[in-house]
Amino acid sequence: MKQQTEHLQVLKDQFGRKHDYLRISLIEKCNLRCKYCMPEEGIPLTPSKFLMNAEEIESLTRTFVGLGVKKIRLTGGEPLLRKDFEDILSRLSQFEVDLSITTNGILADRFLPVFKKHGLKKVNFSLDTLKEERFKEITRRSGYQKTLDNLDLFIREGFEVKLNIVLMKGLNDDEVVDFVRFTKDLPISARFIEFMPFDGNKWDRSKMVSEQEVLAEVGAAFGSENLVSLPDEQNLTARKFQIKGFLGDFGVISSVTNPFCGTCNRIRLTANGKIKNCLFSNRETDLLTALRAGEDVENLILESIFHKKAVRAGMDNLEKLSDPDLHSDNRSMIAIGG
């Protein structure tokens, strides 16, 4: 039976934004080495004793749900690498929340029965190319066909499937039309994500493909009269579109050129138990140490969320975002959680 938790307070920041969406990173490890996510040389991994165990994840989740969290996404690294993944999912499935997961998909078929058993029906696959050799270039690993096979499997099994595609100029920006065409006969949503700056991913503005560029290319390929803008979702991240007559749709997550900070409702909990109130922020609050010391975790959460900046951790224009001194000590994406 799912556990209902009384909402004692509402997580609001100083601008009145309500936060009810928690992304929990389960692990810093991944079986891929994507260029935009992990530095080529890898990262120093947090020793396992300093990572949240299953019981601690459950405990912190209970606190967040008590503060009004209604949606939880499991991320990594690659979350399916956690040896106790089923235990974690079983614990979280007791809460009255909308559960989902982001995965690179390579191991997903092994966990299909686990997802079904615990009611996880929404899966985001990370796939940045539809070309096998380019997959190896981007991820520095093999696994392209396995990802496609598992994507097809989850669609056939009735899961709600989305594709996450990080666009980078000169690498995969020539595949925008291919990915949109991919949605013609499949009930999926392809989401193009602007390349964002994180430690070790060699970001600069010249590598970024903007929302405007994506829409211009799609309009040219399919005809602007066939490009339909879909209604914005509450607390949107992707601005969604569809080609007339296509079964699926696509969206653009424009965190850099057209951020959605005004309606942001997201909180991130890293695998080592630190809360980040913004993806771009280098400020973190250590919940795990406090939890292990028997301290008041709830007040730490409330304090962190209240002091969230209005826009991208204070980087309210592209000039600030392009200043390496302002984001150089933020974590690599692999250590934050997708």
Coordinates of all heavy atoms in Angstrom, one line a residue, residues 218-253:
V218 N 13.9 22.5 -38.3 CA 12.7 21.6 -38.4 C 11.7 22.3 -39.4 O 11.1 21.6 -40.2 CB 12.1 21.4 -37.0 CG1 10.8 20.6 -37.2 CG2 13.0 20.6 -36.2
G219 N 11.5 23.6 -39.2 CA 10.5 24.2 -40.1 C 10.9 24.2 -41.6 O 10.1 24.0 -42.5
A220 N 12.2 24.3 -41.8 CA 12.7 24.2 -43.2 C 12.5 22.8 -43.8 O 12.2 22.6 -45.0 CB 14.2 24.6 -43.3
A221 N 12.7 21.8 -43.0 CA 12.6 20.4 -43.4 C 11.1 19.9 -43.6 O 10.8 19.2 -44.6 CB 13.3 19.5 -42.4
F222 N 10.2 20.3 -42.7 CA 8.9 19.8 -42.8 C 7.8 20.8 -43.2 O 6.7 20.5 -43.4 CB 8.5 19.2 -41.4 CG 9.4 18.1 -41.0 CD1 10.4 18.3 -40.1 CD2 9.1 16.8 -41.5 CE1 11.2 17.2 -39.7 CE2 9.9 15.7 -41.1 CZ 11.0 15.9 -40.2
G223 N 8.3 22.1 -43.3 CA 7.3 23.2 -43.6 C 6.8 23.8 -42.4 O 6.3 23.1 -41.5
S224 N 7.0 25.1 -42.3 CA 6.6 25.8 -41.1 C 5.1 25.7 -40.8 O 4.6 25.7 -39.7 CB 7.0 27.3 -41.1 OG 6.4 27.9 -42.3
E225 N 4.3 25.5 -41.9 CA 2.9 25.3 -41.7 C 2.5 24.0 -41.1 O 1.4 23.8 -40.6 CB 2.2 25.4 -43.1 CG 2.4 24.3 -44.1 CD 3.7 24.3 -44.8 OE1 4.5 25.3 -44.5 OE2 3.9 23.5 -45.7
N226 N 3.5 23.1 -41.1 CA 3.2 21.7 -40.4 C 3.8 21.6 -39.0 O 3.6 20.6 -38.4 CB 3.8 20.6 -41.3 CG 3.1 20.5 -42.6 OD1 1.9 20.5 -42.7 ND2 3.9 20.4 -43.7
L227 N 4.4 22.7 -38.6 CA 5.0 22.7 -37.3 C 4.0 23.3 -36.3 O 3.7 24.5 -36.3 CB 6.3 23.6 -37.3 CG 7.1 23.7 -36.0 CD1 7.5 22.4 -35.4 CD2 8.3 24.6 -36.2
V228 N 3.5 22.5 -35.4 CA 2.5 22.8 -34.5 C 3.1 23.0 -33.1 O 3.8 22.1 -32.5 CB 1.4 21.8 -34.4 CG1 0.3 22.2 -33.4 CG2 0.8 21.6 -35.8
S229 N 2.8 24.2 -32.4 CA 3.2 24.4 -31.1 C 2.2 23.8 -30.1 O 1.0 24.1 -30.2 CB 3.4 25.9 -30.8 OG 3.8 26.2 -29.5
L230 N 2.6 22.9 -29.2 CA 1.7 22.3 -28.3 C 1.6 23.1 -27.0 O 2.5 23.9 -26.7 CB 2.2 20.9 -27.9 CG 2.4 19.9 -29.1 CD1 2.9 18.6 -28.6 CD2 1.0 19.7 -29.8
P231 N 0.5 23.0 -26.3 CA 0.3 23.8 -25.1 C 1.4 23.5 -24.1 O 1.9 22.4 -23.9 CB -1.0 23.2 -24.5 CG -1.7 22.6 -25.7 CD -0.7 22.1 -26.6
D232 N 1.8 24.6 -23.4 CA 2.9 24.5 -22.4 C 2.4 23.7 -21.2 O 1.2 23.9 -20.7 CB 3.4 25.8 -21.9 CG 4.2 26.6 -23.0 OD1 4.8 25.9 -23.8 OD2 4.3 27.8 -22.9
E233 N 3.2 22.8 -20.7 CA 2.9 22.1 -19.4 C 3.1 23.0 -18.2 O 3.9 23.9 -18.3 CB 3.7 20.8 -19.3 CG 3.5 19.8 -20.4 CD 4.4 18.7 -20.4 OE1 5.4 18.7 -19.6 OE2 4.2 17.7 -21.1
Q234 N 2.5 22.7 -17.1 CA 2.8 23.5 -15.9 C 4.2 23.1 -15.5 O 4.6 22.0 -15.6 CB 1.8 23.1 -14.8 CG 2.0 23.9 -13.5 CD 1.0 23.5 -12.4 OE1 0.3 22.4 -12.5 NE2 0.8 24.3 -11.4
N235 N 5.0 24.1 -15.1 CA 6.4 23.9 -14.7 C 7.2 23.3 -15.8 O 7.9 22.4 -15.7 CB 6.5 23.1 -13.4 CG 5.7 23.6 -12.3 OD1 4.8 22.9 -11.8 ND2 6.0 24.8 -11.8
L236 N 7.0 23.9 -17.0 CA 7.6 23.3 -18.2 C 9.1 23.3 -18.1 O 9.7 24.2 -17.5 CB 7.1 24.0 -19.5 CG 7.5 25.5 -19.6 CD1 8.9 25.6 -20.4 CD2 6.5 26.3 -20.4
T237 N 9.7 22.3 -18.8 CA 11.1 22.4 -19.0 C 11.3 22.4 -20.6 O 12.1 23.2 -21.1 CB 11.9 21.1 -18.5 OG1 11.2 19.9 -19.0 CG2 11.9 21.2 -17.0
A238 N 10.6 21.6 -21.3 CA 10.7 21.6 -22.7 C 9.5 22.3 -23.3 O 8.3 22.1 -22.9 CB 10.7 20.1 -23.2
R239 N 9.7 23.2 -24.3 CA 8.7 23.8 -25.1 C 8.4 22.8 -26.2 O 9.3 22.5 -27.0 CB 9.1 25.2 -25.6 CG 9.2 26.2 -24.4 CD 9.8 27.5 -24.9 NE 9.9 28.4 -23.8 CZ 10.9 28.4 -22.9 NH1 11.9 27.6 -23.0 NH2 10.9 29.3 -21.9
K240 N 7.1 22.3 -26.3 CA 6.8 21.1 -27.1 C 6.2 21.5 -28.4 O 5.4 22.5 -28.5 CB 5.9 20.2 -26.3 CG 6.6 19.6 -25.1 CD 5.6 18.7 -24.3 CE 5.2 17.5 -25.0 NZ 4.4 16.6 -24.2
F241 N 6.5 20.7 -29.4 CA 6.0 20.9 -30.8 C 5.7 19.5 -31.4 O 6.1 18.5 -30.9 CB 7.1 21.6 -31.6 CG 7.5 22.9 -31.1 CD1 8.6 22.9 -30.2 CD2 6.9 24.1 -31.4 CE1 9.0 24.1 -29.6 CE2 7.3 25.3 -30.9 CZ 8.4 25.3 -30.0
Q242 N 5.0 19.6 -32.5 CA 4.7 18.3 -33.2 C 4.5 18.6 -34.7 O 4.1 19.7 -35.1 CB 3.3 17.8 -32.7 CG 3.0 16.4 -33.2 CD 1.8 15.8 -32.5 OE1 0.8 16.5 -32.2 NE2 1.8 14.5 -32.1
I243 N 4.9 17.7 -35.5 CA 4.7 17.8 -36.9 C 3.3 17.2 -37.2 O 3.0 16.1 -36.8 CB 5.8 17.0 -37.8 CG1 7.2 17.6 -37.4 CG2 5.5 17.2 -39.2 CD1 7.4 19.0 -37.6
K244 N 2.5 17.9 -38.0 CA 1.1 17.5 -38.3 C 1.1 16.1 -38.8 O 1.9 15.7 -39.7 CB 0.5 18.4 -39.3 CG 0.1 19.8 -38.8 CD -0.6 20.6 -39.8 CE -1.0 22.0 -39.3 NZ -1.6 22.8 -40.4
G245 N 0.3 15.2 -38.2 CA 0.2 13.8 -38.6 C 1.2 12.9 -38.0 O 1.1 11.7 -38.2
F246 N 2.1 13.4 -37.2 CA 3.1 12.5 -36.5 C 2.5 12.0 -35.2 O 1.7 12.7 -34.6 CB 4.4 13.3 -36.2 CG 5.3 13.4 -37.4 CD1 4.9 13.3 -38.7 CD2 6.7 13.5 -37.2 CE1 5.7 13.4 -39.8 CE2 7.6 13.7 -38.3 CZ 7.1 13.6 -39.6
L247 N 2.8 10.8 -34.9 CA 2.3 10.2 -33.7 C 3.0 10.7 -32.4 O 2.3 11.0 -31.4 CB 2.6 8.6 -33.7 CG 2.0 7.8 -32.6 CD1 0.4 8.0 -32.5 CD2 2.3 6.3 -32.8
G248 N 4.3 10.9 -32.5 CA 5.0 11.5 -31.4 C 5.2 13.0 -31.5 O 4.6 13.6 -32.4
D249 N 6.0 13.6 -30.6 CA 6.3 15.0 -30.6 C 7.7 15.2 -30.2 O 8.5 14.3 -30.0 CB 5.3 15.7 -29.7 CG 5.4 15.2 -28.2 OD1 6.5 15.3 -27.6 OD2 4.4 14.7 -27.7
F250 N 8.1 16.5 -30.2 CA 9.5 16.9 -29.8 C 9.4 18.2 -29.0 O 8.5 18.9 -29.1 CB 10.4 17.0 -31.0 CG 10.2 18.2 -31.9 CD1 11.0 19.3 -31.7 CD2 9.2 18.2 -32.9 CE1 10.8 20.4 -32.5 CE2 9.1 19.3 -33.7 CZ 9.8 20.4 -33.5
G251 N 10.5 18.4 -28.3 CA 10.6 19.6 -27.5 C 12.0 20.1 -27.4 O 12.9 19.4 -27.8
V252 N 12.2 21.3 -26.9 CA 13.5 21.9 -26.8 C 13.6 22.4 -25.4 O 12.8 23.2 -24.9 CB 13.7 23.1 -27.8 CG1 15.1 23.6 -27.6 CG2 13.4 22.7 -29.2
I253 N 14.7 21.9 -24.7 CA 15.0 22.3 -23.3 C 16.1 23.4 -23.5 O 17.2 23.1 -23.6 CB 15.4 21.2 -22.4 CG1 14.3 20.1 -22.3 CG2 15.8 21.7 -21.0 CD1 14.6 18.9 -21.5

